[in-house]
Amino acid sequence: MKDITRDGNPVLRKRAEKVEFPLSDENKKMAKDMMEFLKNSQDEKIAEKYHLRAGVGLAAPQIGVSLQMACVLVPGPDDKIELEETLINPVIVSESVRMAALEEGEGCLSVDRNVPGYVPRHDKVTIRYQNLDGETKVLKIRDYKAIVCQHEIDHLNGILFYDHINKENPFSVDDSTILIG
Ligand code: SB7
Ligand code: NI
């Protein structure tokens, strides 16, 4: 796995290119490596050994590749996995008016500093994407999973989480925004 690209690298601010199907061997391997990276980052022993920060998602621009591909791996209770998916060419096809933000704010593997503040996102989203086999899938998700997927799709559009934080008042959101934590 290549190093994670850091904020300041122009690849993180570009709109990533569409992925063509059938996937090239190179792109297949990249998808596999990205998911493996997430699994390793969530494995305490491996993460400690390789000094990895735990990640629930990873987008191709974060490994320096400007392609519309992102992996999400959201753990659930009791060692269960809530969401494990490789999202290729994902688009948000519908979104709730209601917004949600993580109480703790967000972080990013590509952003070294801690940027405090609420990151308002749609509480529910419907995402259309292609899987590794090129099949079109539709995913309806809410709350934490929806936040993670929006964070990753943002990466494919050159957006970083702190872009959404209110500059004057980082912890102010409108009344209808639910806080998740
Ligand atoms: C908090 C963290 C993430 C998503 C949403 C809320 C993912 C952090 C890892 N990444 O930088 C993935 O792009
Ligand atoms: Ni990120």
Side-chain angles (χ1 to χ4, degrees), residues 152-169:
E152 299 317 323
I153 292 173
D154 269 356
H155 274 303
L156 306 181
N157 293 304
I159 299 166
L160 295 172
F161 74 95
Y162 61 76
D163 299 346
H164 297 290
I165 299 177
N166 183 318
K167 298 275 173 316
E168 286 78 46
N169 239 325

Side-chain angles (χ1 to χ4, degrees), residues 57-59 62 107-111 151-152 155 160-161:
L58 185 68
Q62 295 185 277
C108 180
L109 295 171
S110 296
V111 179
H151 178 119
E152 299 317 323
H155 274 303
L160 295 172
F161 74 95

